[in-house]
């Protein structure tokens, strides 16, 4: 009988294809996970190590096991479960160790050492797995080919690790995936080629083992689930990282309070606009915006109110933006905008929209504030041919608008450079003058008219500039407001005036005028009290002067502060009464034909002599200005008698007639005037004009 020996080498194409798919996907995600390990640290790195070990060991073992089950040995085959599990354990140990060495040592040396560990791990897994593959036929091993398989695994594993730790790109991903696939598949099929199964003629050819096929597909499915889980983790982490990066980038490019673009974002946009304008021959404008009363709002209302102002204005600016328009917050109360157009009308419209947004009242709790703002405009390339100069000139125009009481918008002109530089220099000089003692106080005497006795002195601020000489007080105050020095300056004046008054004889008082910004500060009363304690001046010898404008700015706050200061024993004076901004000036200048006395005054004339005198004064002033006086809220005969005795022209109220759907007849007789109220009993009557009363709603 013939001793002819032959070998079969046939594979199940379905299992082999499944093994190849697992190998490619597993190699890709494993190498991407290796890259992620290198990008993390601490506990997060430990988690990625574990996930890399899971995905790597799973795909390598599955590729080997599925390909091995796909192999038709032509003889009876049994699997040793212990060796099969041991082969999987070998990969679970080798994979994280190899990655750890490569990541920690970095460079070619680290990747080579990691490649040796990983290659030996793949080889161990393969040949332990082959030891579990018991074939009922003689097996002969080609040792040189087996050694070549191990070298293939080591070399390509080292190459895959080296590529995975380089900056990621599409080409790098393809290269590292192919290297890892080559390490696993190359070692496996070279190792399989080193195994020779011999069949004798008398051995029976076996058909496919359907049980092995089922096991192979189950292994592929399980491995795919592990790989998919790894891919999902990688994708989720990548999405989270991208979202975090986007959020960090947004935070870096945006103002934290208002959400508007910040200075960095503005500079990027400005460079883009310059490049676009140069390329297309277009123009664009930079608009500088500075809030006029922001510091005052912060000082008097607190920083929370200032934040409300900033966020409200930011929302308004964002809402008004159109195509080619951009607004950013540079910091503090400074905003800056860009408007891309060559049409002057469109530019003026945009600037006017900004001004309207600035001038609209802003509600804060139960009160309203209006910030207002100064706007400076410079056009590229008309006013400047580079971005730095353009910003500077928009800033110059804005500063000019800030110093001009009549115009809050200024377009850059070449003449502004010198004027603004001088103004800024004066602001710096004022700061130095406060530090170096160049400011001084003069005192103007106040006397009792009847006797000529000195009653007090008013403190007046003076500044002798080393170059310009004497600077007018109004200019000093304007410079102090512009440069944020008004509070500091006011406190200095108060302190110096009190120190000077301590040395005066008798009860001579000192009067100090306070700006609205300082008087409305929540801490102003404490400042006054501390100044009096420090200087030793009795509270009754200090007079704080405020203007009607201060009261009108915030009446409730001004009233509360006035009461606090008065409670200290300090006297209060109303300054500039009858001046250009007073109510008396308004009566004199406006062509009013009638003054209507409010009903709240009339309700108190019968019980409060001071209110009765006030009503009398209003009627005297009206008649002096030849303006008719109408009293509202007449509800009692006593009130009517008072008005009649003082010559009031007209009246309305429930005593004379209640509101009705239709006007009452003009023939209603006037009620008889009763006796004079007690509040006026000691006051001689004026000759009264014949009053005429008409019932009104």
């Amino acid at each position: 009988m013939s001793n002819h020996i032959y070998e079969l080498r046939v594979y199940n194409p379905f299992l082999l294809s499944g093994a190849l798919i697992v190998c490619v996907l597993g190699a890709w995600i494993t190498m991407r996970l290796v890259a992620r390990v290198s990008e993390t640290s601490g506990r997060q790195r430990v988690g990625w190590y574990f996930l890399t070990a899971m995905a790597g060991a799973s795909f390598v073992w599955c590729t080997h096991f599925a390909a091995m089950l796909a192999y038709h040995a032509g003889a009876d085959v049994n699997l040793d479960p212990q060796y099969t599990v041991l082969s999987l354990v070998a990969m679970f140990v080798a994979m994280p160790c190899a990655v750890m060495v490569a990541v920690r040592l970095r460079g070619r040396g680290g990747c080579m050492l990691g490649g040796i560990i990983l290659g030996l791990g793949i080889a161990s897994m393969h040949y332990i797995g082959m030891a579990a593959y018991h074939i009922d036929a003689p097996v002969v091993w080609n040792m040189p080919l087996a050694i070549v398989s191990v070298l293939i695994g080591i070399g390509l594993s080292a190459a895959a690790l080296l590529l995975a730790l380089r900056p990621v790109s599409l080409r790098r991903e393809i290269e590292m995936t192919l290297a890892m696939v080559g390490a696993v598949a190359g070692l496996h099929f070279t190792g399989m080629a080193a195994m020779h199964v011999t069949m004798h003629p008398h051995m029976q050819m076996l058909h496919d083992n359907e049980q092995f096929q089922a096991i192979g597909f189950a292994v592929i499915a399980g491995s795919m689930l592990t790989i998919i889980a790894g891919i999902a983790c990688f994708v989720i982490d990548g999405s989270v990282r991208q979202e975090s990066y986007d959020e960090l980038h947004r935070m870096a490019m945006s103002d934290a309070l208002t959400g508007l673009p910040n200075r960095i974002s503005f500079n990027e946009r400005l460079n883009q606009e310059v490049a676009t304008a140069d390329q297309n021959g277009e123009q664009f404008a930079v608009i500088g915006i500075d809030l006029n009363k922001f510091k005052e709002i912060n000082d008097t209302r607190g920083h929370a109110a200032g934040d409300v102002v900033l966020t409200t204005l930011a929302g308004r600016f964002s809402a008004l933006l159109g195509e080619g328009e951009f607004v950013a917050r540079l910091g503090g109360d400074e905003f800056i905008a860009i408007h891309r157009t060559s049409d002057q009308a469109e530019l003026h419209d945009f600037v006017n929209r900004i001004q309207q947004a600035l001038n609209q009242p802003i509600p804060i709790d139960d009160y309203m504030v209006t910030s207002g703002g100064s706007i400076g405009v410079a056009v590229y390339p008309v006013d400047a041919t580079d971005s730095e100069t353009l910003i500077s000139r928009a800033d110059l125009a804005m500063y000019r608008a800030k110093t001009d009481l009549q115009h809050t918008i200024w377009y850059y002109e070449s003449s502004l450079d010198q004027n603004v530089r001088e103004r800024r220099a004066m602001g710096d000089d004022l700061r130095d003058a406060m530090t170096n003692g160049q400011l001084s106080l003069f005192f103007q005497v106040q006397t009792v008219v009847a006797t000529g006795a000195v009653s007090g002195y008013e403190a007046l601020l003076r500044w002798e500039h080393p170059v310009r000489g004497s600077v007018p007080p109004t200019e000093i105050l304007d410079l102090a407001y512009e440069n944020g020095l008004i509070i500091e300056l006011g406190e200095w004046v108060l302190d110096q005036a009190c120190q000077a008054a301590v040395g005066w004889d008798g009860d001579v008082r000192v009067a100090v005028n306070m700006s609205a910004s300082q008087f409305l500060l929540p801490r102003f009363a404490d400042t006054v009290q501390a100044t009096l304690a420090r200087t030793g001046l009795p509270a009754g010898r200090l007079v704080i002067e405020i203007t009607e404008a201060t009261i009108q700015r915030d009446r409730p706050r001004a009233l509360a502060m006035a009461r606090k200061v008065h409670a200290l024993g300090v006297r209060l004076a109303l300054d500039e009464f009858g001046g250009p901004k007073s109510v008396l000036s308004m009566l004199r200048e406006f062509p009013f034909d009638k003054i209507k006395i409010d009903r709240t005054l009339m309700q108190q004339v019968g019980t409060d002599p001071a209110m009765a005198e006030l009503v009398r004064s209003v009627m005297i002033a009206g008649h002096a200005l030849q303006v008719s006086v109408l009293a509202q809220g007449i509800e009692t005969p006593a009130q009517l008698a008072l008005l009649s005795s003082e010559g009031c022209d007209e009246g309305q109220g429930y005593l004379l007639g209640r509101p009705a759907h239709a006007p009452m007849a003009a023939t209603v007789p006037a009620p008889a005037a009763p006796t004079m109220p007690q509040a006026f009993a000691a006051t001689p009557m004026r000759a009264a004009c014949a009053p005429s009363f008409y019932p009104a709603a």
Side-chain angles (χ1 to χ4, degrees), residues 47-220:
W48 287 114
Y49 271 132
F50 179 77
L51 191 58
T52 303
M54 287 284 294
S58 175
F59 101 84
V60 173
W61 184 83
C62 175
T63 299
H64 159 78
F65 197 75
M68 186 179 65
L69 292 178
Y71 173 63
H72 292 270
D76 192 17
V77 176
N78 294 300
L79 293 176
D80 187 324
Q82 294 182 352
Y83 278 102
T84 300
V85 173
L86 185 60
S87 67
L88 180 60
V89 172
M91 274 311 303
F92 267 118
V93 173
M95 181 61 72
C97 291
V99 174
M100 186 178 300
V101 169
V103 169
R104 289 185 176 273
L105 299 182
R106 309 288 293 187
R108 293 181 180 274
C111 291
M112 181 56 68
L113 183 57
I116 292 173
I117 296 173
L118 183 56
L120 291 177
I122 297 173
S124 299
M125 179 277 305
H126 176 81
Y127 288 107
I128 292 174
M130 293 310 299
Y133 193 73
H134 295 164
I135 303 176
D136 190 16
V139 177
V140 178
W141 290 92
N142 184 334
M143 293 309 297
L145 201 58
I147 294 172
V148 169
S149 70
V150 176
L151 294 177
I152 289 173
I154 291 173
L156 291 178
S157 293
L161 291 173
L162 184 64
L163 291 168
L165 297 181
R166 289 181 178 178
V168 177
S169 65
L170 180 59
R171 179 179 175 181
R172 285 280 181 269
E173 289 198 40
I174 294 173
E175 290 175 345
M176 68 185 185
T177 302
L178 291 177
M180 194 63 209
V181 169
V184 175
L187 187 151
H188 175 85
F189 288 106
T190 304
M192 291 297 289
M195 181 186 73
H196 297 279
V197 179
T198 58
M199 297 291 294
H200 293 282
H202 65 276
M203 291 182 177
Q204 183 180 0
M205 288 287 295
L206 299 176
H207 297 288
D208 290 346
N209 190 326
E210 294 182 359
Q211 184 179 7
F212 276 11
Q213 290 187 43
I215 294 173
F217 284 121
V219 168
I220 291 173

Side-chain angles (χ1 to χ4, degrees), residues 247 250-263 265-266 289 291 294 303-319 321 326-336 358 362:
E247 179 63 17
R250 186 195 66 78
M251 292 172 63
M253 302 296 285
S254 300
D255 175 58
L257 175 64
T258 64
L260 288 177
N262 59 12
R263 187 183 297 271
S265 183
F266 167 76
I289 308 163
L291 307 188
F294 181 72
H303 291 285
D307 290 346
V308 172
V309 170
L310 293 174
T311 53
T312 302
L313 291 177
R316 292 177 183 175
F317 291 154
S318 299
L321 293 179
F326 176 88
V327 174
R329 181 190 176 209
L330 299 184
D333 62 343
E334 293 184 59
F335 295 84
I336 197 163
L358 291 169
I362 299 172

Side-chain angles (χ1 to χ4, degrees), residues 339 341 343-353 409 411:
H339 179 78
T341 183
D343 188 331
Q344 287 295 318
E346 290 185 8
L347 175 58
H348 293 329
D349 175 68
F350 178 65
V351 173
N352 288 333
R353 279 185 277 145
I409 301 174
Y411 290 80

